[in-house]
Amino acid sequence: MTSKYKVLFLCRENSARSIIAEALLRELAGHRFDVFSAGSDPAARVHALAIAQLRPGISDLGLLTPKSWLEFTGQWAPHMDLIVALDERVAEYHAPEFPGKPLFVQWDFADPLAEGMTLEERTRSFEKVFWQIVRRVTLFMELPRYTSPVVLSAPSAEPVAHERDIVCPG
């Protein structure tokens, strides 16, 4: 029996970087990954510039909504295999405990919503961050650990361990 890897992307407002990462991984490898995103202080809606970056290549933008990371902490929450923080303000030591003790990593990208930018600077920042996330998600998908679904053994239904020490280059 096989199962998809479960990945949760975290960002403070869950309106830009984590949404972009969720959408890209789902679109590019949804057959191998169940992908989610959330934030500590979710925004009311996905940022318009994030939607503008995603619109040309994402088939179902309607799935993208900001969510609280608390939705993923309860006893009925899906057990993640990997949690990726895209904002240093939600690093592992700030995040709540998630069921199943998932691997936790940090991918550092500039905040396209940082204070003090003009609209033109913000638009360029969103485009730059979008392409950085595309590159990182693509590298992540190609890692040997994630090239095929999790294989579950019949008696214990526990995932077979693979190269857990390798998460994603640079």
Side-chain angles (χ1 to χ4, degrees), residues 86-153:
L86 301 170
D87 184 332
E88 66 277 353
R89 293 175 287 185
V90 297
E92 185 172 18
Y93 57 90
H94 288 123
E97 189 171 323
F98 294 96
K101 305 278 190 234
L103 182 63
F104 199 108
V105 298
Q106 179 87 29
W107 291 355
D108 294 319
F109 298 107
D111 184 359
L113 297 172
E115 299 281 329
M117 282 192 247
T118 65
L119 179 58
E120 183 179 327
E121 291 168 331
R122 186 170 311 286
T123 302
R124 280 196 314 269
S125 180
F126 262 90
E127 184 174 359
K128 180 179 178 181
V129 166
F130 172 81
W131 288 109
Q132 290 171 339
I133 294 172
V134 166
R135 189 169 33 255
R136 184 69 59 93
V137 164
T138 303
L139 287 170
F140 167 75
M141 290 172 11
E142 294 173 358
L143 289 171
R145 169 175 170 66
Y146 300 109
T147 56
S148 61
V150 177
V151 177
L152 300 176
S153 60

Side-chain angles (χ1 to χ4, degrees), residues 10-169:
L10 298 179
C11 209
R12 190 173 58 81
E13 291 184 0
N14 188 219
S15 67
R17 291 170 288 182
S18 55
I19 289 283
I20 290 170
E22 173 190 5
L24 289 169
L25 186 56
R26 181 180 295 119
E27 188 73 24
L28 297 171
H31 61 288
R32 292 187 285 142
F33 297 92
D34 282 331
V35 190
F36 309 91
S37 68
S40 58
D41 186 24
R45 67 183 78 66
V46 176
H47 196 281
L49 290 172
I51 295 295
Q53 289 296 318
L54 293 168
R55 183 167 282 120
I58 303 301
S59 58
D60 196 352
L61 294 172
L63 294 175
L64 303 173
T65 59
K67 295 167 285 309
S68 171
W69 61 15
L70 296 177
E71 291 182 32
F72 299 92
T73 61
Q75 70 183 68
W76 290 285
H79 287 216
M80 297 297 150
D81 296 299
L82 178 67
I83 295 179
V84 181
L86 301 170
D87 184 332
E88 66 277 353
R89 293 175 287 185
V90 297
E92 185 172 18
Y93 57 90
H94 288 123
E97 189 171 323
F98 294 96
K101 305 278 190 234
L103 182 63
F104 199 108
V105 298
Q106 179 87 29
W107 291 355
D108 294 319
F109 298 107
D111 184 359
L113 297 172
E115 299 281 329
M117 282 192 247
T118 65
L119 179 58
E120 183 179 327
E121 291 168 331
R122 186 170 311 286
T123 302
R124 280 196 314 269
S125 180
F126 262 90
E127 184 174 359
K128 180 179 178 181
V129 166
F130 172 81
W131 288 109
Q132 290 171 339
I133 294 172
V134 166
R135 189 169 33 255
R136 184 69 59 93
V137 164
T138 303
L139 287 170
F140 167 75
M141 290 172 11
E142 294 173 358
L143 289 171
R145 169 175 170 66
Y146 300 109
T147 56
S148 61
V150 177
V151 177
L152 300 176
S153 60
S156 67
E158 291 297 320
V160 174
H162 296 279
E163 308 154 18
R164 278 193 87 76
D165 56 328
I166 300 175
V167 176
C168 191

